[in-house]
Structures are given as C-alpha cells and as structure tokens.
C-alpha cells in the first residue's frame, strides 16, 4: 500500500480545481497514472514524451507523463502528497500520544485505589495489551522466602512459560540484576534467551521501589516486532506506576497482617482463660470462612466475617471466672451473666474504628433464626449474615469439644443436631453451605474412604 493514494489525492475537492487550473495555465499535456500504471487523468491532446515520478516518503505513488510542462505538474503532486503525508503522520502521532496519556491517566486512577498486588499486576497487563503489540505479558514479583521472582499474573502464558526468575539468569534475570529496561528485537539471536525461542521480540522492565527491584514485567511477541525507544518509554512508565502501586499495596498488606495478628492474639489471650476451649477461635474462623466461600460472600462481607469470627467471644473478658469457668450447672442468674458477653463484646470493639465492622457478628452470634436467641431476639434476615454463619460454626465446634462436665458429641451426632435445628436455631442455607464447604468435603471424603476400608476389612 502506498503511503498516499494518488487517485484520491487528485480528486480531492480542495485540490482538483488547483490542479486543473495549473494544467490549463501552463498548457500542460499530461497523463496521470497510479503506481500500477492505471490511468487516472489525461488531457485531450496528451502524448507520452517524458515520465516524471510522483513520490512521497521515498515511495513512488504514481507517474505524470507528457510534454515539458508535465514536470511542474508532477512537482505540484509531490508537494501536495508530502503535505498530506505529514498531516497524517502528525495526526497519528497526536492520536498515539493521546492514547498514551489516556492510558496512563486510567492506570493511575485504577492502581492508586487498588491495594491488592495481584489485581495491580492484572491491571498493568490489561493496559499493556491495549497499547503495545504483544502476544504474552508476565508480571513477576520478588518472593522474600525463595529469593526468586515468582509469576503473579500473566497473559499468553503458553508462549512464555516463565514461572520464576533467578537474578542474572536469562534476559529478565539480567534486567533484574542491572535494574535497567531492555528491548530485545531478535530474541532467538540473544545468547541469554536459551529456551524462550518461541518469543521473537521482547521488552522487559524492572519494577523498582525505593531503588530496589521488587519485580519484573516482560512482554513478548511471537512475530518479530521492531520495538522502538518510544515503546520502551511507554512500557517503563507503566512499570514505574505499577511499582509504586505494588509497593503501596504490599505495605498495606503488611499492615493488614499486623492488624489481624494483633486481633487474633487478643482473642487467643482471652480464650486461654478457659483452657478447655483450646483453638476454638481458630476453628470457628476456619469453619466460618469455609461457609462464607461456599455461599459466595463478597470480599467486604468475608472480611467482616473473619473479624467477627475471631472476636465473637471477646466479651467473655467481662464475665467473672467463677461463672465462666464453673464446672457445675449454671443458675439462671449466672446464665444471664454469660449471655451478656455478646453485648460486652460490642462495647469492647466499638471504640476501635477498624473493628467496628465486626460488631454485628459479635453482638448477634447467639441470635436464633426463629427469634428465640439473645441479646435482641432478632429473627431471620434481621440477623446479620456474618452472625448467622458464626452461629453455625461456633455451635458445631462447641458441640464437638469435650467439656469438664460433658463429653463432646461425635461429628455425626453434631451433624444431626445442625440438621435438626436448621430453620429454627440456624439459617438453613448456612447449614447447607456448611455441609457443602471444603472443610466438610474433606471430612466426608476421609470418612467415606474409612467406611470403604472398614467394609473391605
Ligand atoms: Fe459466644
């Protein structure tokens, strides 16, 4: 394809009259043809004497044949074609710049409010796919335990099977070691690229946070591509944005971890007052999260559920040892004191803003679906979903745990209890989710295997 179509050029409304007037004024005798020799325009008495090429950007797009005046017509066409070509190039460059700026703006908007490293990596890949020619992209982040860069997000993995990178090994490994982005337009010819010959051209950039390389992003094309310095500039800008966002996200993740550890330690410390309940909090959290996953609860609810499950009995700190640890049957008044732990729990955590989302789980975990629970006698969906889940997880664990004054139920007996009270004490959908959860699935598989083995015996 020629860079400018001469047939369209000479018919343009703003140019055709100029061309016709010049032909008439010069008394030129011309035959204009395209680069294939197809006739486009001819004056009445035209004869072929001399041929003048019409070229643009070093390429012949047509010919003007005729008398000595034909040269001037060819020069006019060349000038017009060059000017048209420049306009188009400029328009294309402006459009590209606009696309780049839009992309970077969108990227800043998306990644700055994202606090999940995997999600950031996925966003970077999506943006790179939009503006750069590629068949595969991979984001690898430093794993502090293994000391390697491990794959966290990818597109076109079948083309580039990299799952981890060692410093200095391969092209990505040398980008990691040098901290400098690279273009390799002929990958098979690069001695560092042994094993990645399915990629013909690639670009690789380090993800740097405070001068430390914390990751590497590389993109490749199965077909040879001439990646330019401009492509690399755009790519490294994307990489820099991603690196800052990933650094923020990992700081946030560390903070979250520290926060959960503190909350968990608090719950465990309280639990230790009652030595018979060893690991109850941990199990209630695990069962609750398993139920939540099975029910497909959203991330925000899962976070509330986790906090609520960990803290559900935190209010027991307000119940006297003589009552909490009493081994014989409780009097009505003592039972009333125990029941207050749900309200004490709310009071304890309501002063800590980060814990407030756990309040419904803590206050309502002894409410019953039929409205006969405490402290508020809520029923059905008046009870927060986190509390309905914690109630099943908590009751199951309490039923299967030995106490000084009674032996715990067997798992099958506890299952029967949950089924029996589904729809009255418990939300039946939550009980169903408990039986369908991965925790129970593992139990059922182990149990059925045992039953089969017993039968064989
Ligand atoms: Fe409780």
């Amino acid at each position: 394809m020629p860079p400018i179509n001469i047939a369209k050029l000479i018919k343009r409304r703003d140019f055709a009259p100029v061309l016709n007037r010049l032909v008439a004024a010069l008394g030129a005798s011309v035959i204009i043809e395209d680069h294939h020799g197809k006739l486009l325009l001819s004056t009445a008495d035209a004869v072929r004497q001399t041929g003048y090429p019409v070229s643009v950007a070093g390429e012949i797009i047509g010919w003007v044949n005729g008398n000595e005046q034909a040269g001037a017509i060819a020069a006019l066409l060349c000038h017009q074609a060059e000017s048209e070509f420049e306009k188009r190039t400029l328009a294309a460059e402006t459009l590209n710049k606009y696309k780049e700026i839009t992309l970077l703006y969108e990227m800043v908007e998306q990644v700055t409010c994202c606090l999940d490293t995997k999600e950031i990596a996925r966003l970077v890949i999506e943006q790179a796919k939009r503006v750069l020619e590629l068949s595969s992209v991979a984001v690898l982040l430093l794993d502090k335990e293994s000391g390697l860069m491990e794959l966290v997000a990818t597109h076109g993995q079948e083309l580039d099977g990299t799952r981890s990178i060692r410093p200095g090994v391969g092209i990505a490994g040398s980008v990691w070691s040098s901290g400098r982005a690279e273009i390799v337009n002929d990958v098979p010819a690069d001695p560092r690229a042994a094993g990645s010959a399915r990629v013909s051209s690639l670009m690789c950039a380090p993800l740097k946070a405070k001068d430390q390389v914390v990751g590497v992003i590389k993109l490749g094309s199965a077909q040879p591509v001439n990646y330019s310095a401009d492509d690399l500039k755009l790519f490294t800008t994307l990489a820099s944005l991603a690196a800052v966002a990933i650094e923020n996200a990992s700081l946030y993740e560390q903070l979250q971890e520290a926060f959960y550890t503190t909350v968990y330690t608090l719950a465990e410390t309280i639990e230790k007052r009652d030595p018979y309940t060893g690991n109850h909090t941990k199990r209630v959290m695990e069962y609750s999260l398993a139920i939540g996953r099975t029910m497909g609860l959203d991330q925000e609810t899962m976070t509330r559920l986790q906090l609520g499950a960990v803290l559900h009995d935190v209010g027991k700190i307000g119940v006297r040892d003589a009552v909490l640890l009493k081994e014989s049957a409780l009097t009505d008044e003592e039972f009333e004191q125990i029941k207050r732990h749900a309200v004490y729990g709310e009071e304890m955590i309501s002063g800590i803003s980060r814990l407030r989302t756990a309040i419904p789980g803590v206050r309502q975990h002894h409410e019953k679906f039929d409205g006969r629970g405490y402290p508020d006698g809520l029923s059905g969906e008046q009870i927060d979903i986190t509390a309905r889940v914690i109630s099943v997880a908590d009751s199951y664990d309490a039923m299967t745990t030995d106490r000084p004054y009674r032996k715990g139920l067997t798992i099958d007996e506890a299952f029967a209890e949950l089924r029996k009270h589904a729809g009255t004490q418990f939300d039946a959908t939550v009980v169903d989710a408990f039986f369908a959860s991965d925790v129970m699935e593992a139990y059922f598989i182990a149990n059925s295997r045992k039953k089969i083995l017993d039968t064989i015996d």
Side-chain angles (χ1 to χ4, degrees):
M1 278 289 281
I4 294 290
N5 183 325
I6 189 170
K8 284 187 181 163
L9 183 75
I10 63 172
K11 282 186 200 150
R12 273 181 48 170
R13 273 193 298 170
D14 58 342
F15 180 62
V18 177
L19 179 65
N20 289 337
R21 275 206 297 277
L22 190 70
V23 168
L26 291 175
S29 155
V30 289
I31 298 164
I32 301 177
E33 295 166 334
D34 72 8
H35 64 299
H36 291 305
K38 185 182 169 195
L39 181 66
L40 303 174
L41 185 147
S42 175
T43 50
D45 53 349
V47 282
R48 291 173 188 273
Q49 285 177 8
T50 316
Y52 299 92
V54 179
S55 54
V56 60
E59 208 175 312
I60 294 176
I61 62 167
W63 290 89
V64 181
N65 226 302
N67 61 10
E68 66 272 22
Q69 310 301 341
I73 302 300
L76 173 72
L77 285 171
C78 281
H79 174 76
Q80 187 65 22
E82 284 289 353
S83 135
E84 183 67 23
F85 182 68
E86 274 172 25
K87 259 196 273 174
R88 284 195 197 171
T89 312
L90 196 64
E93 278 173 8
T94 311
L95 187 66
N96 274 344
K97 281 277 164 246
Y98 173 77
K99 278 188 187 161
E100 282 175 20
I101 291 168
T102 311
L103 161 90
L104 295 175
Y105 178 74
E106 277 180 16
M107 176 88 186
V108 168
E109 266 205 326
Q110 289 175 344
V111 301
T112 47
C113 54
C114 181
L115 289 168
D116 179 81
T117 44
K118 283 191 180 160
E119 180 61 12
I120 293 166
R122 198 191 59 74
L123 286 171
V124 177
I125 288 175
E126 284 309 308
Q127 300 292 7
K129 274 162 62 184
R130 281 175 55 192
V131 282
L132 292 161
E133 199 175 338
L134 57 89
S135 330
S136 67
V137 203
V139 177
L140 298 103
L141 296 179
L142 183 61
D143 181 287
K144 287 191 178 124
E145 274 180 30
S146 68
L148 303 178
M149 296 280 181
E150 306 283 0
L151 185 74
V152 290
T154 182
H155 158 75
Q157 174 69 12
E158 64 287 350
L159 195 69
D160 177 354
T162 313
R163 300 208 74 85
S164 64
I165 298 174
R166 291 175 184 282
V169 179
I171 297 170
S174 45
V175 165
W176 175 4
S177 300
S178 71
R180 281 193 303 275
E182 272 197 55
I183 296 178
V184 182
N185 276 330
D186 187 1
V187 174
D190 193 305
R192 297 169 300 173
S196 52
R198 291 173 73 192
V199 175
S200 297
S201 308
L202 66 78
M203 286 198 287
C204 188
L207 300 173
K208 281 191 200 171
K210 295 188 197 117
D211 284 338
Q212 291 288 313
V213 179
V214 294
V216 164
I217 174 165
K218 64 173 190 165
L219 63 81
S221 169
Q223 303 303 320
V225 175
N226 231 351
Y227 287 124
S228 65
D230 276 350
D231 291 333
L232 190 67
K233 208 165 127 194
L234 177 64
F235 184 51
T236 47
T237 309
L238 269 180
S240 310
L241 278 173
V244 172
I246 286 170
E247 172 69 359
N248 281 345
S250 80
L251 283 176
Y252 179 76
E253 278 163 15
Q254 283 170 27
L255 263 178
Q256 282 282 84
E257 213 178 296
F259 170 70
Y260 276 112
T261 309
T262 311
V263 171
Y264 195 75
T265 311
L266 168 73
E268 268 194 327
T269 311
I270 292 163
E271 189 186 285
K272 286 208 167 69
R273 282 178 69 206
D274 185 351
Y276 296 101
T277 56
N279 276 332
H280 170 72
T281 304
K282 186 166 180 279
R283 288 192 300 270
V284 171
M285 182 185 81
E286 280 169 3
Y287 296 150
S288 297
L289 292 179
I291 296 169
R293 281 194 298 274
T294 308
M295 294 180 81
L297 299 183
D298 60 49
Q299 193 50 50
E300 186 266 334
T301 311
M302 287 296 279
T303 306
R304 292 198 299 116
L305 178 60
Q306 183 172 6
L307 275 181
V310 171
L311 294 169
H312 71 282
D313 272 347
V314 81
K316 282 190 176 167
I317 202 165
V319 180
R320 285 185 296 118
D321 278 0
V323 176
L324 185 70
L325 306 178
K326 188 174 173 188
E327 295 189 0
S328 52
L330 295 172
T331 65
D332 288 350
E333 201 274 326
E334 285 166 342
F335 189 53
E336 285 306 314
Q337 280 188 43
I338 290 268
K339 279 160 72 174
R340 270 181 231 139
H341 78 277
V343 179
Y344 292 155
E346 177 187 0
E347 287 168 2
M348 274 183 70
I349 65 173
S350 60
I352 305 165
S353 63
R354 290 280 304 274
L355 297 181
R356 269 184 216 133
T357 56
I359 288 176
V362 172
R363 184 176 174 108
Q364 300 171 11
H365 75 279
H366 285 288
E367 298 289 0
K368 293 184 181 173
F369 204 67
D370 59 9
R372 303 206 299 189
Y374 64 88
D376 302 309
L378 302 178
S379 64
E381 296 195 356
Q382 285 180 317
I383 308 166
D384 188 76
I385 182 62
T386 62
R388 279 180 269 149
V389 171
I390 295 166
S391 165
V392 170
D394 184 28
S395 302
Y396 172 75
D397 192 64
M399 284 191 278
T400 49
T401 306
D402 289 338
R403 304 292 295 182
Y405 46 87
R406 63 147 173 83
K407 193 158 166 42
L409 301 182
T410 65
I411 288 172
D412 287 330
E413 285 165 346
F415 285 170
E417 282 296 302
L418 288 181
R419 284 209 176 91
K420 185 175 156 194
H421 298 290
T424 50
Q425 180 173 350
F426 307 115
D427 179 345
T429 56
V430 175
V431 174
D432 288 344
F434 180 65
F435 287 122
S437 69
D438 43 14
V439 172
M440 285 303 113
E441 195 182 346
Y443 167 77
F444 286 129
I445 291 169
N447 205 36
S448 63
R449 193 174 295 138
K450 185 175 171 297
K451 275 184 185 161
I452 292 166
L453 288 174
D454 288 348
T455 319
I456 294 168
D457 285 350

